[in-house]
Structures are given as structure tokens and as C-alpha cells.
Amino acid sequence: MKKAIKVLACLLVCIMAFSAVYEPVEVSAASSPSCSTLYKAAKKQVSSGAKKVKKKSSCTFLTSSKRKLVKDFYYATDSKQIYCVCIVKCASSSDAKKIEKQFNTIKSSKTNDTYLTSSQKKVVKAAKVGRSGKYAWYISLATTSSANNKAVKAMKKKL
């Protein structure tokens, strides 16, 4: 019985010493960047297309059912929604996956539109769709996919 008490006391001392040395790291709200911060990072990489877009107050790019999944967003586009940036923060990663699927649907439907000029189609085909954690994005700011890739990489560094 005395041996069991000594072992328990020893374990308790070890746990207290361990918890005193290793404090838990608190994750603050500042650790997850806003969508506008991510846009600014992407904009630095693709300045030509970024000059053509203007920020919009509502995200008409998504269906109303998908807009309900969005916690925060940054949406900027030109008048024809060819040059476009839509960065979305969702409540969960599964919601971000649903938004990414919507973005892929939008990209494929725009790619097959007959009313677009060849240069507009080039921009749409070069668009990048992706997600990381709770974030999803659609970026079509350049005519080359490599330029849009640079924008995505800059955004991912901020995440």
C-alpha cells in the first residue's frame, strides 16, 4: 500500500513538473489571417490582373446555399467576372471543400462559354481553384497559370 502511494505521489510530482515547464500554446484569433490579407499577398504577385478588379460587398459568385457556409470572404472582379478573386473562409474544412467544388463547377462552365473571346477564355483556363483548411479560393488574375500559381503560393505562406 505504501509503495502504491509513493508511486502515485511520484507520478503526480512528475505531471506537475511537466505542466509547469510546458505550458499550452494558446491560439489567438490573429493567427488565422483575414481574407483581405490573403488577397493582398496574392495581389503582389499578379499586379496586372489585380488592377482590373474591384472589391464587391457581396459574394454573388457563389449560390445562396453556399453563401450560408461562409464566415468571411474577399471578392473582387471585373464587370464580366473574367478577372476575378474570391477568397472564402468557412466554419469548417468540410464547408471549404463544398465551396471548392462550387468554384470548380464555375470554372468548368466558364471555360465552355461560347460568348467569351479567346483571350478571356485564356484567363479562365488559367484560373486556380483550391483550398487549405477552412479557406477556399478562386483566382483568375492572369493569362498564365504560372502567374496565378505564384499568387496561390503567396497566399499559402500567409496561412
Side-chain angles (χ1 to χ4, degrees):
M1 183 73 173
K2 285 184 179 182
K3 189 174 184 178
I5 291 174
K6 286 181 182 179
V7 169
L8 286 174
C10 219
L11 283 173
L12 185 60
V13 169
C14 288
I15 291 171
M16 288 175 32
F18 182 75
S19 63
V21 173
Y22 295 102
E23 293 182 22
V25 178
E26 292 182 25
V27 179
S28 64
S31 67
S32 63
S34 69
C35 292
S36 61
T37 303
L38 295 175
Y39 169 70
K40 288 174 187 173
K43 178 180 163 182
K44 288 179 183 176
Q45 298 298 320
V46 189
S47 58
S48 61
K51 293 175 185 173
K52 297 177 182 182
V53 298
K54 292 183 180 168
K55 186 178 186 314
K56 305 292 181 182
S57 58
S58 64
C59 192
T60 56
F61 201 60
L62 296 170
T63 61
S64 60
S65 63
K66 297 295 189 246
R67 276 185 240 145
K68 292 176 185 175
L69 304 174
V70 174
K71 284 180 70 177
D72 183 25
F73 72 93
Y74 189 93
Y75 178 59
T77 185
D78 64 351
S79 60
K80 296 179 183 178
Q81 290 187 335
I82 304 300
Y83 288 92
C84 180
V85 174
C86 189
I87 303 168
V88 175
K89 181 179 180 183
C90 301
S92 68
S93 59
S94 63
D95 290 344
K97 192 174 186 177
K98 292 174 187 174
I99 299 287
E100 180 189 26
K101 188 175 181 181
Q102 168 93 34
F103 286 159
N104 280 319
T105 304
I106 291 168
K107 181 181 176 182
S108 65
S109 67
K110 278 186 171 188
T111 304
N112 298 324
D113 278 343
T114 56
Y115 71 89
L116 296 177
T117 65
S118 61
S119 61
Q120 290 172 333
K121 281 186 180 182
K122 199 174 186 182
V123 173
V124 172
K125 285 180 182 177
K128 293 296 169 190
V129 175
R131 70 178 164 87
S132 178
K134 296 179 182 181
Y135 292 89
W137 57 81
Y138 176 95
I139 297 178
S140 63
L141 289 175
T143 55
T144 62
S145 61
S146 63
N148 288 329
N149 276 337
K150 288 179 185 176
V152 170
K153 284 179 185 176
M155 270 184 10
K156 284 185 175 181
K157 284 181 184 176
K158 293 284 184 182
L159 291 176

